[in-house]
């Protein structure tokens, strides 16, 4: 469920987080709930703001999913050393003066957690967010997929220089026929695919329909699975010329790692990371009509488990008393991608950034890097500040350009405070 409303539906003056709080508005309360409080997948209401503020916290009640087992081991403790960070002063990218305490409401946060040196210093939930309730990560999923791929590379099981068709011959007639695995991992593939949520004809909607992420009309004749969608994609431009963020690439990479590992994405993530992380809860993926997990946007986790994953990355793959993933896999992510190719994409809020292994690399003096998902999902890892910030949200607008002016300076300000 990509849950992609068109911008055209959005009023110029948006209702506030408080006005759209699903608990305050009694959304989906009662047995049954009143008709005007019901959120459904099939009628599209789960894709519309403010109903999304409930839906993003309840994906499993709306669509089919695949479980990512936490295994049987004990939960890895996250010690608490809570601090009042709400008074930290922040200057937004557009020059406004706010405090960290203003950030959740301004960005429609459902949960916000800060780890410093492995300790929880801040943890709050809003709207329908809750500590034990998984929330959809949207494109933060891509960073999980990229991490799994980088593990397979570090283990010598996946060759990033090989053509995609070495692993997926089914793509021989598609845009990916002459693309390398590395070009897929770093999103430099020339493929005709638009991620413009404001355009109802953009291919991202075709992708979402094929994967069952948005409802299919009764007369729908298009692809019915992620696989059927991917083999039909055609080339546009040349590969390896510029960074171009396209969810289809993450879905191709997911296909590759499943083929290489001979495991489903849910089983691979569980066996490789989740069962070793000391997670509190199982995670889960949204799946298409044949049970294929969405590698582009389908993961759901609780906030603290997302923090554990981020802390593992900050510690070069080590967490819960063990080296969970190879340090070389993390090092490959941290080194970043080609800044010149990234610059061609024109992200105004991300100057000097790059992209590597499906992670967003700030290239700042702290070596910070991020997983990012639409509507405000974030894992922000700051190695120098020994800090991880994780955030789930249900912003009314999809693109992170609406979150970045507030969240990026907020993350940097918290890092600065914690380093004092």
């Amino acid at each position: 469920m990509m849950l992609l409303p068109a911008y055209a539906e959005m009023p110029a003056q948006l209702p506030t987080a408080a006005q759209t709080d699903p608990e305050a508005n009694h959304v989906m309360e009662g047995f049954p709930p009143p008709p005007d409080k019901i959120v459904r997948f099939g009628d599209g209401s789960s894709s519309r703001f403010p109903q999304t503020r409930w839906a993003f916290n309840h994906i499993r009640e709306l669509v089919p999913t695949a479980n990512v087992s936490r295994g049987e081991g004990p939960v890895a403790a996250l010690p608490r050393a809570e601090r009042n960070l709400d008074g930290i002063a922040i200057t937004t990218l557009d020059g406004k003066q706010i405090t960290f305490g203003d950030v959740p409401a301004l960005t429609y946060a459902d949960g916000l957690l800060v780890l410093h040196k492995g300790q929880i210093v801040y943890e709050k939930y809003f709207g329908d967010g809750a500590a034990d309730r998984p929330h959809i990560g949207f494109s933060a999923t891509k960073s999980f997929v990229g991490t799994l791929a980088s593990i397979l590379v570090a283990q010598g099981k996946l060759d990033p220089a090989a053509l995609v068709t070495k692993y997926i011959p089914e793509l021989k007639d598609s845009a990916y026929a002459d693309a390398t695995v590395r070009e897929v991992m770093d999103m430099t593939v020339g493929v005709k695919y638009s991620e413009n949520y404001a355009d109802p004809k953009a291919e991202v909607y075709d992708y979402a329909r094929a994967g069952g992420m948005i409802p299919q009309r009764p007369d729908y004749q298009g692809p019915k699975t992620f696989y059927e969608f991917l083999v039909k994609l055609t080339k546009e431009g040349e590969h390896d010329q510029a960074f171009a963020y396209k969810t289809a690439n993450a879905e191709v990479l997911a296909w590759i790692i499943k083929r290489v590992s001979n495991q489903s994405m849910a089983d691979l993530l569980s066996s490789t990371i989740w069962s070793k992380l000391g997670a509190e809860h199982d995670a889960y993926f949204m799946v298409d009509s044949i049970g294929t997990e969405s590698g582009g946007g389908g993961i759901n986790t609780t906030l603290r488990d997302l923090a554990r994953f981020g802390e593992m990355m900050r510690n070069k793959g080590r967490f819960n008393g063990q080296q969970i993933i190879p340090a070389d896999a993390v090092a490959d992510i941290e080194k970043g991608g080609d800044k010149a190719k990234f610059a061609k994409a024109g992200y105004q809020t991300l100057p000097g950034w790059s992209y590597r292994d499906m992670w967003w690399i700030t290239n700042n003096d702290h070596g910070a890097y991020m997983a990012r998902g639409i509507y405000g999902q974030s894992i922000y890892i700051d190695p120098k500040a020994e800090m991880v910030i994780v955030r789930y949200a249900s912003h009314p607008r999809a693109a992170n350009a609406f979150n970045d002016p507030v969240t990026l300076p907020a993350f940097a300000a918290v890092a600065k405070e914690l380093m004092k």
Side-chain angles (χ1 to χ4, degrees):
M1 187 189 328
M2 295 298 281
L3 301 156
L4 305 172
Y7 286 174
E9 296 175 3
M10 292 291 168
Q13 186 63 42
L14 294 166
T16 66
Q19 290 168 337
T20 57
D21 185 312
E23 289 202 344
N25 289 311
H26 307 291
V27 175
M28 290 294 279
E29 290 183 12
F31 306 96
D36 64 334
K37 301 295 185 182
I38 291 177
V39 180
R40 289 188 174 95
F41 174 74
D43 65 3
S45 58
S46 64
S47 301
R48 291 192 289 269
F49 184 83
Q51 291 95 322
T52 49
R53 301 212 60 206
W54 183 88
F56 293 177
N57 293 282
H58 296 273
I59 296 298
R60 182 159 262 175
E61 289 103 298
L62 295 165
V63 296
T65 60
N67 202 59
V68 180
S69 172
R70 66 166 298 279
E72 297 180 352
V75 171
L78 289 176
R80 291 185 176 271
E82 297 193 43
R83 297 171 56 172
N84 183 2
L85 306 180
D86 285 339
I88 296 173
I90 296 159
T91 303
T92 67
L93 295 185
D94 47 3
K96 297 185 178 73
Q97 300 301 313
I98 62 169
T99 66
F100 190 65
D102 296 326
V103 170
L106 288 172
T107 58
Y108 301 80
D110 298 322
L112 182 59
L113 187 153
V114 182
L115 283 181
H116 184 229
K117 299 181 180 180
Q119 298 181 311
I120 295 175
V121 295
Y122 184 101
E123 181 183 13
K124 292 187 180 181
Y125 296 90
F126 315 91
D128 223 40
D132 61 351
R133 185 175 293 150
H135 187 292
I136 188 162
F138 289 114
S139 289
T141 309
K142 295 178 174 69
S143 299
F144 282 85
V145 173
T147 301
L148 291 170
S150 67
I151 292 167
L152 293 171
V153 171
Q155 292 172 337
K157 297 175 182 176
L158 177 62
D159 179 5
L163 289 176
V164 169
T165 50
K166 174 182 176 179
Y167 304 103
I168 314 292
E170 295 92 328
L171 291 172
K172 63 181 174 55
D173 297 321
S174 76
Y176 297 91
D178 57 345
T180 67
V181 174
R182 170 52 60 201
E183 288 159 357
V184 173
M185 291 173 77
D186 294 351
M187 296 260 194
T188 59
V189 176
V191 55
K192 187 176 186 300
Y193 180 99
S194 169
E195 198 89 10
N196 180 6
Y197 303 113
D199 177 6
K201 295 182 179 178
E203 286 83 1
V204 67
Y205 290 104
D206 299 329
Y207 160 81
R209 283 187 200 93
M213 295 172 146
I214 55 176
Q216 298 170 356
R217 292 165 47 120
D219 58 350
Y220 177 74
Q221 297 294 316
K224 297 290 177 65
T225 69
F226 290 125
Y227 299 133
E228 290 177 13
F229 172 78
L230 294 173
V231 298
K232 289 181 163 65
L233 290 174
T234 57
K235 196 171 179 181
E236 182 177 70
E238 294 303 312
H239 303 318
D240 207 33
Q241 299 302 301
F243 169 75
Y245 182 82
K246 298 180 178 187
T247 293
N249 295 327
E251 219 57 71
V252 168
L253 187 60
W255 193 352
I256 291 169
I257 64 176
K258 285 179 285 192
R259 185 64 61 79
V260 169
S261 67
N262 197 32
Q263 292 187 77
S264 71
M265 185 96 69
D267 288 347
L268 180 63
L269 180 58
S270 173
S271 63
T272 305
I273 298 174
W274 217 249
S275 65
K276 300 176 182 179
L277 205 56
E280 285 178 69
H281 299 94
D282 293 347
Y284 64 85
F285 283 99
M286 296 171 54
V287 297
D288 69 9
S289 61
I290 60 167
T292 305
E293 306 96 335
S294 164
I299 196 141
N300 293 254
T301 79
T302 59
L303 195 64
R304 284 202 291 261
D305 286 342
L306 194 68
R308 288 180 173 90
F309 176 74
E311 183 69 0
M312 176 200 70
M313 297 298 293
R314 183 184 77 79
N315 286 295
K316 319 297 184 192
R318 187 171 184 83
F319 187 72
N320 196 23
Q322 59 188 311
Q323 190 71 35
I324 296 176
I325 70 174
D328 287 350
V330 181
D332 191 72
I333 292 163
E334 287 183 323
K335 76 180 184 184
D338 188 312
K339 288 195 277 188
K341 289 175 186 172
F342 185 90
K344 292 179 182 179
Y347 286 90
Q348 294 184 358
T349 59
L350 310 177
W353 287 45
S354 63
Y355 195 83
R356 179 79 173 178
D357 299 336
M358 305 239 157
W359 287 85
W360 301 78
I361 316 299
T362 70
N363 297 304
N364 68 10
D365 58 359
H366 284 202
Y369 58 103
M370 284 189 78
R372 293 159 59 85
I374 52 173
Y375 303 108
Q377 324 318 322
S378 304
I379 308 172
Y380 186 89
I381 300 166
D382 185 325
K384 186 175 181 181
E386 300 175 276
M387 178 190 81
V388 174
I389 297 179
V390 288
R391 179 171 172 277
Y392 279 138
S394 46
H395 198 284
R397 299 189 188 274
N400 271 313
F402 295 102
N403 276 283
D404 288 345
V406 172
T407 54
L408 293 181
F411 296 163
V414 172
K416 186 177 179 182
E417 177 68 22
L418 293 177
M419 289 176 71
K420 286 182 179 176

